[in-house]
Amino acid sequence: MGSEDVLKSASALASYNVLLQVMFRLLTFFLNAFTLRFVSKELIGVVNVRLMLLYSTLVFLSREAFRRACLSGEGAGRNWRQVINLLWFTLPLGCLWGALLVCVWLWLLQAPDSQTIPHYGPAVGIFCMAALTELLAEPLWVLAHAHMLVRLKVIAESLAMIAKCLVTVVMVVAAPEWGLYIFSAAQCVYAGFLSLCYVVYFLHFLGSEEAETKSFPLRHISELLPTSINGQPLLNWKLATLTWSFFKQSFLKQILTEGERYVMTFLNVLNFGDQGVYDIVNNLGSMVARFLFLPIEESFYVFFAKVLERGRDVRKQKQDEVSMAANVLECLLKLVLLIGLIITAFGYSYSHLALDMYGGELLSSGSGPSLLRCYSFYVLLLAINGITECFVFAAMSKEEVDRYNLVMLGLSASFLMLSYWLTGLFGAVGFILANCSNMALRIIHSLIYIHHYFQHSDYTPLSGLRPHPALVIALIISAVITVLSEHMLCCDGGWVLRLGHISVGAVCLLVVITVAFLTERRLVQFIRTQLLPKYSKKRT
């Protein structure tokens, strides 16, 4: 697959993933708003913080290193039999992690009050089984991702999320007294549907004309099982070593990604009710990061990993591919920076209104608005870090990955200490401040790496972090106007005044987008041709 084809596939994958994540987050958004009317915030805290932390930790530590390593490598020359054999190690590794984590969650952590929140013990076991069920599809996921089977991911995860939401809604209405059993069953349905969709797809796909056209390396479903290879090693040990390097890194990255939940869970700095409010605000604040930035990062990591030769000096690589990678990186940085600046500029003035409309006084009173306002700035840092680390992880050599593990270790330790200290001073807001500090340090490290990577070439992709002055002025004026609008129109008045505040924001946003369209022409062209392939095809 040529570089242009890889770029088109990665762009299509990003577009599909964005649409998929938009749907996911909207479903979750309305699901949380619905369940808040039927269950307590304490139950939400146990499910969304304690149990989902167990699930995400088990899944992430079991598969993340394998994904990063197996999506790198030798491209078309890789031995997929060895790759599949390696990927199946995710399941026994998941069983080991599951046994360890269940023991910790049951016997080392303080259990919630059984009178208020019953069935905690069985729920821990069920969430663990759901995570192991999702790991069954890991070899299929990597195969699909490596060969750009973009529709499979969309369909599988869509069906799984819809099924989970339906189960949750029906059981919350019909039997709210079941408590944790409701969310445990819904998570099992999600994992089961996800794995089943991948299996059914490959049963139909393998051996078909489409598979022949794509030169798919497997022909029968039995080839997806781990088997020995005559005259060849069972595993590609170079790939296995790279996986181990990523595994050490993924452990530290998980602490950074879910650090506030680990602090809440293991240090008991917030009660379950406050954890529930923080998690809801966190989900609202990170919605754009999850449904927009993360899919772009995942998709273009595949692009950078395929186009660039890992660990090789930029002067010794194919210059047309280096040029393409640099141009794509610059446009991506400019895109996520623009989105992040818009969220930061408008987030302050609309946090209180958003929480009041979403969860009523339960969320809009207390620390909720302050949390969401701080998160609007954190989203800007998330946007930049996602793309810069996406490139860095695709370009680093194994030795550089190992050295970066030491950096991650220092960041993890400082984050945990900073979280504990700042939470004591500022409450839940301290978690976001600690995240901002650590995210800024990660961005600085990535920017230094990218600068050194391209310093002996004619490319300056970091110029994507310099927005046009007219755009900056438009954002500053819009932020001032919306702050004044909130003070005069929102949020103790009626819906007429609130609609007036919303209208002011809509006009300001339209002005900002117009200025961006007129000043960032290269970015607009990139979005049209790469991130909106269907639109591009219509024009041609």
Side-chain angles (χ1 to χ4, degrees):
M1 184 180 291
S3 300
E4 290 287 348
D5 294 331
V6 172
L7 176 58
K8 290 179 181 178
S9 297
S11 302
L13 181 58
S15 302
Y16 281 123
N17 279 346
V18 167
L19 293 175
L20 178 65
Q21 292 298 326
V22 167
M23 187 192 72
F24 277 11
R25 297 309 153 189
L26 287 177
L27 282 174
T28 306
F29 179 86
F30 290 114
L31 179 64
N32 285 338
F34 179 81
T35 54
L36 278 172
R37 274 67 178 173
F38 291 87
V39 300
S40 65
K41 62 181 181 181
E42 287 77 15
L43 182 63
I44 294 292
V46 172
V47 173
N48 289 356
V49 177
R50 178 72 65 85
L51 294 179
M52 287 307 298
L53 179 63
L54 168 66
Y55 188 91
S56 65
T57 301
L58 199 164
V59 169
F60 190 91
L61 294 181
S62 300
R63 76 185 183 189
E64 177 67 12
F66 293 89
R67 284 187 172 186
R68 288 201 172 272
C70 294
L71 288 174
S72 305
E74 305 85 10
R78 79 182 76 184
N79 187 319
W80 277 104
R81 169 51 52 208
Q82 293 177 332
V83 173
I84 291 172
N85 287 343
L86 180 63
L87 286 169
W88 276 108
F89 277 93
T90 56
L91 188 58
L93 181 62
C95 292
L96 292 175
W97 276 118
L100 175 62
L101 294 174
V102 165
C103 292
V104 171
W105 256 246
L106 289 179
W107 296 318
L108 294 185
L109 298 180
Q110 179 183 0
D113 181 27
S114 58
Q115 298 297 321
T116 307
I117 306 175
H119 319 306
Y120 173 72
V124 169
I126 296 172
F127 266 79
C128 178
M129 292 302 299
L132 295 177
T133 301
E134 184 171 341
L135 290 177
L136 289 172
E138 192 56 25
L140 308 181
W141 187 95
V142 171
L143 276 169
H145 221 66
H147 292 86
M148 301 295 181
L149 302 177
V150 294
R151 292 184 181 87
L152 173 57
K153 176 182 173 68
V154 176
I155 294 173
E157 296 192 12
S158 299
L159 291 177
M161 180 57 71
I162 291 171
K164 176 182 177 179
C165 291
L166 288 176
V167 170
T168 302
V169 169
V170 171
M171 294 183 70
V172 161
V173 174
E177 68 278 4
W178 287 8
L180 293 178
Y181 280 137
I182 297 173
F183 300 94
S184 302
Q187 196 64 34
C188 284
V189 169
Y190 172 82
F193 257 79
L194 192 64
S195 299
L196 182 62
C197 287
Y198 276 94
V199 171
V200 171
Y201 179 88
F202 274 96
L203 281 172
H204 171 74
F205 176 75
L206 293 179
S208 65
E209 292 183 4
E210 183 182 359
E212 294 288 342
T213 303
K214 292 179 177 290
S215 300
F216 201 75
L218 307 181
R219 297 180 178 276
H220 193 268
I221 193 67
S222 61
E223 297 180 60
L224 293 170
L225 299 175
T227 56
S228 59
I229 311 168
N230 294 331
Q232 298 183 27
L234 184 66
L235 301 174
N236 181 330
W237 292 107
K238 181 180 178 181
L239 197 61
T241 304
L242 181 62
T243 303
W244 172 243
S245 297
F246 276 123
F247 176 77
K248 292 182 288 185
Q249 186 187 98
S250 66
F251 183 79
L252 300 174
K253 186 177 180 181
Q254 175 66 4
I255 295 177
L256 288 173
T257 304
E258 301 281 8
E260 67 271 16
R261 286 180 170 81
Y262 287 115
V263 173
M264 283 188 282
T265 298
F266 287 91
L267 299 181
N268 296 318
V269 293
L270 298 176
N271 59 44
F272 286 117
D274 290 339
Q275 289 181 26
V277 173
Y278 174 83
D279 183 76
I280 293 170
V281 173
N282 181 60
N283 283 334
L284 284 173
S286 64
M287 186 176 293
V288 174
R290 291 176 184 271
F291 73 61
L292 187 58
F293 300 145
L294 183 60
I296 293 175
E297 177 188 347
E298 289 180 346
S299 303
F300 281 93
Y301 172 79
V302 177
F303 165 72
F304 290 129
K306 286 180 176 289
V307 169
L308 300 175
E309 295 185 49
R310 180 180 294 277
R312 193 170 185 179
D313 188 271
V314 67
R315 291 168 292 185
K316 298 179 181 179
Q317 302 203 38
K318 296 179 181 179
Q319 291 306 299
D320 57 336
E321 296 188 345
V322 172
S323 174
M324 181 184 299
N327 291 332
V328 169
L329 177 59
E330 180 181 347
C331 290
L332 289 177
L333 287 174
K334 193 172 290 289
L335 173 64
V336 298
L337 177 68
L338 173 60
I339 297 172
L341 288 173
I342 290 175
I343 293 171
T344 301
F346 289 88
Y348 186 90
S349 305
Y350 289 89
S351 295
H352 187 281
L353 179 60
L355 290 177
D356 192 61
M357 294 173 61
Y358 184 64
E361 192 175 347
L362 174 68
L363 297 181
S364 61
S365 62
S367 62
S370 299
L371 281 170
L372 195 54
R373 284 166 180 157
C374 290
Y375 216 104
S376 65
F377 174 72
Y378 179 51
V379 167
L380 173 61
L381 299 179
L382 279 175
I384 299 172
N385 180 72
I387 297 302
T388 54
E389 282 197 348
C390 160
F391 178 86
V392 168
F393 289 152
M396 276 183 171
S397 66
K398 176 189 174 300
E399 292 74 20
E400 289 172 326
V401 171
D402 288 335
R403 287 197 296 270
Y404 187 62
N405 289 336
L406 298 177
V407 177
M408 295 285 279
L409 179 61
L411 289 173
S412 302
S414 65
F415 172 75
L416 294 177
M417 291 187 291
L418 197 60
S419 295
Y420 184 72
W421 178 58
L422 291 177
T423 305
L425 293 176
F426 304 107
V429 174
F431 283 122
I432 301 177
L433 297 178
N435 271 315
C436 289
S437 300
N438 275 270
M439 197 62 64
L441 292 175
R442 290 168 65 178
I443 290 172
I444 291 171
H445 176 274
S446 297
L447 294 181
I448 292 173
Y449 181 91
I450 294 172
H451 172 73
H452 287 308
Y453 187 88
F454 287 102
Q455 67 178 346
H456 298 299
S457 70
D458 297 329
Y459 309 110
T460 56
L462 294 182
S463 61
L465 294 177
R466 294 197 298 266
H468 195 279
L471 181 59
V472 175
I473 294 173
L475 286 166
I476 293 174
I477 294 175
S478 296
V480 173
I481 291 174
T482 52
V483 167
L484 294 175
S485 172
E486 181 187 32
H487 180 72
M488 293 185 292
L489 302 177
C490 192
C491 289
D492 297 327
W495 273 104
V496 175
L497 293 179
R498 293 187 180 189
L499 288 175
H501 180 47
I502 294 173
S503 300
V504 170
V507 172
C508 290
L509 179 59
L510 181 61
V511 170
V512 169
I513 293 175
T514 303
V515 173
F517 185 83
L518 295 175
T519 58
E520 303 290 356
R521 305 306 291 267
R522 186 178 174 189
L523 174 61
V524 172
Q525 182 65 18
F526 175 78
I527 295 173
R528 282 179 173 176
T529 58
Q530 301 302 333
L531 297 182
L532 298 175
K534 291 184 178 179
Y535 177 81
S536 177
K537 288 177 182 177
K538 288 180 181 179
R539 288 175 61 87
T540 59

